[in-house]
Amino acid sequence: MELPYHEDVSPGTGGLPPRAWYAGSDAASLSLNGSWRFRLSPGGCGPDESFAAAGFDAAAWDEVVVPGHWVLQGHGAPHYTNQQYPFPVDPPRVPTENPTGDHLRCFDLPEAWPAGGDAVLRFDGVESCARVWLNGTLLGDFKGSRLPHEFAVGQLLRPADNVLAVRVHQWSSGSYLEDQDQWWLPGIFRDVTLLHRPDGAAGDFFTHASYDHDSGTGTLRVDSDVPGRVTVPELGVDVATGVDVRVPVEPWTAERPRLYDAVLATPGERVALRVGFRTVALAGGLITVNGRPLLFRGVNRHEFHPEHGRALDLATMRADVLLMKQHNINAVRTAHYPPHPAFLDLCDELGLWVVDECDLETHGFTALGGRGNPVDDDRWTPALLDRAARTVERDKNHPSVVVWSLGNECGTGRGLRAMAAWIRERDPDRLLHYEGDPSCRDTDMYSRMYADHAEVERVGRGEDEGPEERRLLPFVLCEYGHAMGNGPGGLREYQDLFERYERLQGGFVWEWIDHGLRHPEFGYAYGGDFGDRPHDGNFVCDGLCFPDRSPSPGLLDYKQVIQPVRFTYDPVSGTVSVTNLYDFADLSELAFEWTYLMDGPDRAVSGPLDVPPELGPGESVELKLPEPPPAARGAETRLQVSATVCEETNWTSLDHVVARADFAVTPRPPVPVADGERPRRSGYDLAVGPGRFDVRAGELRALGDLTLKAAPRLDVWRAPTDNDDGAPWQPDVRYGPLWRELGLDRMQHRLDAVEPGDDGLTVRTRVAPAARDLALRTVYRWTSDGTALRLAVSVTPEGDWQVPLPRLGIRLGLPASLGYAHWFGGGPGEAYPDTRSASCVARWGMDVERMQTPYVRPQENGARADVRWAELRPDARGEGVRIVGDPAFWFTARPWSTEQLDAAAHRTDLRPGDTVWVHLDHGQRGIGSQSCGPGVLPPHELRVAPAEFAFTFTTAPRER
């Protein structure tokens, strides 16, 4: 049976060969973006094709905006799956129920449109298969959603009333090659452009610009299918195409992205070029650029906008690159397809290393054991080669692209080998990546996903198993640090390994942005919220940025972990050591400062730190600091050092903080023990200093004039994070489900004794889950000196606890009127034991609502680390409650309870009540990355063990 065009395995018909993409040309062009007439049909065959004929009346049709996705414009609904195909797996066939969108665009040529020559119609991205007509003539069809496709149309154009008709199928044989862990969003989602091609214009060209780091010279050659000349005015270059010219140059790197403006002039066209000289090589078993090894501090980036899906404008793309640069990210893997070509222009201009990935993933087949996988079926090889060629040819002139990637999670097969061979033949000056073949026979690096720290260290030591040839290759984690919900944890430990072992050349955190789609009911929607079945829930929300591109705590933590300057402090000698961790750049663009910060009346004193600007990569300097000022009695002194941008850049403002660190100068003074006051009893009421207790329940009811909403008591539960819940396929224990099974979310508190004494109140309890013989014997000891109320907590485990706790501390409820938090400790944002790199000890203050981290799926969030004291006030100055910890504690304040947080599926489910819930935790379990990667490292587990900790409560007086 002959299959229809959208189901055959060919890449398409009627199109032009792939070629380089470029924006700067003096040839005429016409954007066909804008409002198009649109009709949606439920079946793949759709109505007949008469809509493409001349004179068809589409006045009754709806309209959609191109670029765009029709499912985000009121026609149908988005659908999210990770690896499973949302249709029966029967390649290359797809369902008869195949939403199909017919698009019509009428246009006139501009009056200045040149006569003669030819014209090309270009589509930069259509999902997933399109058939195209112009003025009633069929041009052809194509697949390869995130790749360019062009048609010659010069003979068909007329001055006015041109009609462009495009039929787009949501599902096609190409869909089997695009199972890429993202929303399925059909439509014409990238630009549509009409390009005039003058006689004598170049059809394609290839810029070769290498750099010799020994001589400091660059070699330039531009190959063009139409002879012409290349000029680089700044370098005094004027040379014929196809001819090498060697000149002294400044090299291009992601740290200093030096570009030279050039022009390719052929008889019919002038094309603007931006040339960056750099040489990529595999040398000594390492990925090198310009003779120096790279360390990728990278992210994976899907293209996404919460309202427009994959239809990104230039401003959004620039925002992505600027945010990456401002958070010390130096590399991006274009997961799992080539991005909009303008994004790579920005990477050239602003400086990012790029692993450019082909539009290819067949993950759903690997989940089925590989049966029917197109990458090992010769019938599909032409389609695979077409995708490889369209990727390489489009993006070959970008200096930022240093590695080609065959695709993602396709297993192994003959088609992949054919792609690798073609790419090596076409472009031998870049390296090749593919993660899915453990033999690495076709790649220049050993790439892994989500390898745990122990495995990564073995690889670093050269102790990994596998082919001997693989041990000679550099190692890259193409995905690690799964940034789903709260997390990822363990990034610092990964980075320590990368910096310790030369073979480990860094990695790419998964991923850049949460794919939460704007929704009128849920705020941001994820899989299943549009009625899509099957789906993979909020697994689509696993980014370092929230959908609105505001940085998550995970991004701030990553910025700190990968900062390009390291500081160490020696309090004995009073010196600070500064190390340059850049791969290429010196420190001349940075200014350095020291600050002594005190928890007292005089809170800060600062000065410049004279770091030599010429300090090169890997070099260190040790500098003497001024003596710290004398601290007030009972105060603590901290040292903060920072590096800020001091020269004009195109990626951030002056004074942007690139790197910082803080250190203890003096130890924290001991916390005075509040005791000595005799309790006073009247009936069932007992007063211990400012505390008022009900002796029947042994509970604190009031502190001075303040009535509590909920008494302090032991708490071990947190609303599980995505990483607590883990991924079903992970071999490690998934503690979120285990905690629920154990009953930690419904602990019962038994009162065993209330013991008033001459020097305080002792309350003995047993805290335990139902149906288990496990318990935490908890003793609350209350004392006072007449002004302050002290709570000392002692916890003794009973039974054989085999699991770590989520948290260990006390929880209490205060009136919602105390909605402003002020504290001395880690901040300004949240931190957990393995995500605390960005936490800086200082004085912080903000509304309690601002302390909440707005994860798309609500979960545990908002803890502040290393808190010495915290205050809850009605505003920044009003009278409230002050809490001092002994030792320092984890501080969390919320306008809703843990139970409410746990029950919420979306942000909109959370509404403030009449209580501020305050958590004062002696311990928190780490976060890990088990939503797709490894769990919590042993040092960050919260094992059940005897514990003692104390808190002192006083009135926080009104500040003047």
Side-chain angles (χ1 to χ4, degrees):
M1 172 176 117
E2 184 176 352
L3 296 176
Y5 67 91
H6 69 281
E7 288 189 319
D8 67 38
V9 298
S10 74
T13 60
L16 294 171
R19 65 188 183 106
W21 184 93
Y22 55 92
S25 166
D26 64 353
S29 65
L30 175 65
S31 172
L32 298 179
N33 296 345
S35 179
W36 289 50
R37 291 290 182 178
F38 177 77
R39 175 183 65 186
L40 182 64
S41 303
C45 296
D48 61 39
E49 297 175 350
S50 62
F51 79 102
F56 183 85
D57 183 4
W61 287 18
D62 293 322
E63 293 187 5
V64 294
V65 173
V66 171
H69 305 278
W70 69 67
V71 293
L72 299 182
Q73 300 184 60
H75 305 278
H79 194 148
Y80 168 63
T81 61
N82 168 27
Q83 65 181 34
Q84 57 186 332
Y85 289 104
F87 45 78
V89 180
D90 182 25
R93 305 298 303 278
V94 294
T96 302
E97 296 178 2
N98 183 5
T100 296
D102 291 333
H103 300 69
L104 280 176
R105 174 75 153 87
C106 299
F107 65 94
D108 300 336
L109 294 179
E111 291 185 5
W113 190 264
D118 202 347
V120 167
L121 177 66
R122 183 176 68 213
F123 295 87
D124 281 314
V126 181
E127 183 176 331
S128 72
C129 174
R131 173 164 274 196
V132 185
W133 297 260
L134 179 63
N135 293 328
T137 298
L138 176 65
L139 302 180
D141 55 79
F142 60 86
K143 310 176 189 80
S145 298
R146 283 152 281 278
L147 295 164
H149 299 271
E150 294 184 326
F151 298 95
V153 296
Q155 300 303 312
L156 299 175
L157 289 174
R158 47 197 186 214
D161 299 325
N162 293 281
V163 178
L164 176 58
V166 184
R167 170 163 286 177
V168 179
H169 303 280
Q170 174 157 14
W171 310 122
S172 70
S173 61
S175 302
Y176 286 102
L177 305 180
E178 296 171 4
D179 188 21
Q180 294 153 322
D181 184 15
Q182 60 181 335
W183 292 100
W184 300 89
L185 299 173
I188 305 172
F189 67 94
R190 286 184 185 162
D191 305 283
V192 182
T193 312
L194 183 67
L195 303 168
H196 182 246
R197 306 308 298 144
D199 293 333
D204 191 21
F205 62 91
F206 196 165
T207 300
H208 304 270
S210 62
Y211 179 72
D212 185 333
H213 62 277
D214 290 324
S215 65
T217 57
T219 300
L220 174 65
R221 185 184 79 250
V222 178
D223 296 328
S224 173
D225 60 354
V226 173
R229 297 197 68 80
V230 178
T231 55
V232 190
E234 189 175 354
L235 298 176
V237 169
D238 185 344
V239 67
T241 55
V243 175
D244 288 346
V245 59
R246 186 171 181 178
V247 289
V249 296
E250 298 174 47
W252 188 97
T253 70
E255 295 167 5
R256 300 280 170 84
R258 181 66 160 94
L259 292 171
Y260 292 89
D261 291 329
V263 173
L264 165 63
T266 64
E269 183 183 25
R270 291 173 61 85
V271 178
L273 310 179
R274 294 196 301 178
V275 179
F277 292 88
R278 53 96 190 111
T279 294
V280 185
L282 191 64
L286 297 174
I287 302 166
T288 65
V289 173
N290 304 335
R292 296 186 62 88
L294 293 185
L295 185 59
F296 291 122
R297 301 168 174 90
V299 293
N300 288 273
R301 175 186 177 269
H302 269 296
E303 293 189 305
F304 183 76
H305 188 281
E307 295 170 350
H308 308 303
R310 284 186 287 280
L312 269 59
D313 60 10
L314 186 61
T316 300
M317 290 184 268
R318 181 175 287 273
D320 277 344
V321 179
L322 293 179
L323 272 174
M324 290 177 187
K325 295 286 291 185
Q326 291 161 10
H327 289 85
N328 294 328
I329 290 163
N330 72 355
V332 61
R333 175 179 175 231
T334 68
H336 296 294
Y337 43 83
H340 190 291
F343 178 80
L344 298 179
D345 282 343
L346 293 168
C347 294
D348 295 341
E349 172 193 339
L350 299 170
L352 287 173
W353 308 114
V354 175
V355 175
D356 195 354
E357 195 148 271
C358 187
D359 188 13
L360 178 62
E361 180 172 339
T362 62
H363 200 165
F365 289 95
T366 62
L368 295 174
R371 297 186 304 276
N373 194 338
V375 302
D376 200 32
D377 183 336
D378 291 339
R379 294 175 301 168
W380 293 79
T381 298
L384 302 184
L385 289 171
D386 180 75
R387 288 171 184 251
R390 291 188 183 279
T391 300
V392 171
E393 300 294 4
R394 193 197 75 169
D395 297 343
K396 59 183 179 280
N397 295 317
H398 290 283
S400 59
V401 176
V402 293
V403 177
W404 300 116
S405 179
L406 298 181
N408 184 67
E409 292 179 314
C410 294
T412 59
R414 298 184 298 276
L416 291 168
R417 298 214 71 185
M419 292 170 66
W422 185 92
I423 293 173
R424 288 195 187 282
E425 175 69 23
R426 177 59 175 146
D427 184 20
D429 295 330
R430 288 182 174 92
L431 302 183
L432 199 58
H433 166 270
Y434 180 64
E435 180 272 339
D437 183 357
S439 75
C440 296
R441 60 185 179 181
D442 296 314
T443 68
D444 295 305
M445 61 205 69
Y446 176 27
S447 177
R448 289 277 282 109
M449 292 182 180
Y450 306 108
D452 63 25
H453 300 78
E455 180 184 349
V456 171
E457 183 157 24
R458 289 195 300 272
V459 173
R461 291 174 174 171
E463 299 171 355
D464 51 308
E465 299 176 355
E468 183 64 31
E469 296 80 5
R470 197 179 72 187
R471 297 186 192 177
L472 303 177
L473 296 176
F475 180 81
V476 172
L477 278 171
C478 67
E479 293 181 21
Y480 82 112
H482 196 252
M484 185 175 176
N486 188 336
L491 294 179
R492 168 66 67 189
E493 290 81 358
Y494 274 119
Q495 193 67 22
D496 289 346
L497 293 172
F498 298 158
E499 294 175 11
R500 186 180 311 151
Y501 299 104
E502 187 179 50
R503 184 188 180 193
L504 308 179
Q505 294 200 254
F508 299 81
V509 168
W510 185 269
E511 64 153 308
W512 176 239
I513 189 169
D514 285 345
H515 300 196
L517 287 169
R518 191 87 66 185
H519 192 282
E521 179 182 353
F522 303 132
Y524 290 115
Y526 47 78
D529 286 340
F530 296 97
D532 43 318
R533 301 289 187 276
H535 66 83
D536 287 291
N538 68 312
F539 201 75
V540 76
C541 295
D542 47 10
L544 292 170
C545 295
F546 296 119
D548 63 359
R549 282 180 163 72
S550 57
S552 76
L555 180 56
L556 301 179
D557 186 65
Y558 192 38
K559 174 188 176 181
Q560 187 75 10
V561 165
I562 61 175
Q563 64 184 18
V565 180
R566 179 188 293 123
F567 302 102
T568 57
Y569 172 62
D570 183 352
V572 176
S573 63
T575 59
V576 64
S577 175
V578 181
T579 303
N580 179 355
L581 298 180
Y582 283 115
D583 294 326
F584 299 90
D586 60 21
L587 301 182
S588 58
E589 294 183 351
L590 303 178
F592 294 81
E593 184 179 65
W594 57 264
T595 299
Y596 286 118
L597 180 78
M598 288 144 283
D599 180 23
D602 301 317
R603 295 178 183 172
V605 58
S606 302
L609 190 63
D610 295 325
V611 177
E614 68 276 7
L615 197 72
E619 296 179 349
S620 299
V621 64
E622 190 170 295
L623 302 168
K624 182 72 174 177
L625 293 167
E627 289 292 323
R633 183 177 180 182
E636 179 182 356
T637 302
R638 306 282 301 183
L639 169 67
Q640 296 181 357
V641 287
S642 63
T644 58
V645 173
C646 66
E647 294 186 6
E648 292 288 345
T649 76
N650 58 1
W651 56 271
T652 194
S653 59
L654 293 177
D655 298 327
H656 166 77
V657 177
V658 170
R660 62 172 177 79
D662 76 299
F663 307 95
V665 176
T666 61
R668 183 189 181 200
V671 178
V673 176
D675 59 9
E677 177 83 355
R678 291 179 61 88
R680 304 176 306 280
R681 182 165 180 172
S682 175
Y684 293 123
D685 296 327
L686 181 75
V688 181
R692 301 293 184 268
F693 294 83
D694 182 337
V695 294
R696 293 169 296 184
E699 293 183 342
L700 177 68
R701 296 298 172 84
L703 186 66
D705 296 331
L706 178 69
T707 300
L708 273 64
K709 303 292 289 187
R713 68 177 187 173
L714 192 76
D715 187 32
V716 299
W717 179 244
R718 72 186 188 193
T721 68
D722 292 311
N723 287 302
D724 288 337
D725 284 339
W729 60 83
Q730 293 290 69
D732 298 334
V733 175
R734 299 165 57 209
Y735 282 109
L738 189 58
W739 290 336
R740 290 191 194 276
E741 180 184 350
L742 187 63
L744 298 190
D745 58 335
R746 51 190 185 277
M747 298 288 277
Q748 298 183 21
H749 297 248
R750 187 183 74 200
L751 180 63
D752 286 345
V754 179
E755 302 170 352
D758 291 342
D759 58 350
L761 173 66
T762 300
V763 180
R764 303 183 187 278
T765 67
R766 185 177 189 270
V767 183
R772 306 286 175 176
D773 60 354
L774 305 173
L776 299 171
R777 289 278 184 182
T778 306
V779 178
Y780 306 97
R781 174 70 175 161
W782 297 92
T783 59
S784 176
D785 60 4
T787 301
L789 179 66
R790 184 175 190 265
L791 167 62
V793 182
S794 173
V795 180
T796 304
E798 287 184 354
D800 185 16
W801 287 85
Q802 295 293 313
V803 299
L805 294 176
R807 68 174 353 122
L808 179 68
I810 65 169
R811 179 175 81 163
L812 65 151
L814 298 175
S817 58
L818 300 182
Y820 184 88
H822 185 209
W823 71 95
F824 183 69
E830 76 179 24
Y832 290 82
D834 54 354
T835 66
R836 62 193 299 170
S837 294
S839 181
C840 181
V841 174
R843 284 180 178 244
W844 306 102
M846 64 184 69
D847 292 333
V848 167
E849 289 201 21
R850 283 186 55 213
M851 295 180 70
Q852 315 313 301
T853 304
Y855 295 113
V856 174
R857 186 192 74 80
Q859 55 197 270
E860 166 65 32
N861 72 90
R864 268 59 178 182
D866 303 313
V867 174
R868 281 73 164 151
W869 55 259
E871 297 171 345
L872 280 303
R873 299 172 177 268
D875 51 48
R877 297 185 179 277
E879 182 178 296
V881 176
R882 180 181 175 94
I883 306 164
V884 180
D886 184 14
F889 59 99
W890 302 86
F891 169 54
T892 310
R894 296 198 183 103
W896 36 73
S897 68
T898 299
E899 291 76 14
Q900 291 170 309
L901 186 64
D902 193 11
H906 297 87
R907 297 179 189 177
T908 50
D909 296 332
L910 294 169
R911 294 178 175 83
D914 62 357
T915 304
V916 170
W917 293 95
V918 180
H919 295 263
L920 311 171
D921 289 315
H922 178 62
Q924 277 270 4
R925 183 177 185 260
I927 298 298
S929 189
Q930 203 177 350
S931 53
C932 194
V936 174
L937 288 168
H940 306 308
E941 292 284 15
L942 182 58
R943 293 297 174 185
V944 179
E948 293 184 353
F949 48 95
F951 301 100
T952 301
F953 300 82
T954 57
T955 298
R958 178 177 295 276
E959 291 192 357
R960 295 182 179 179

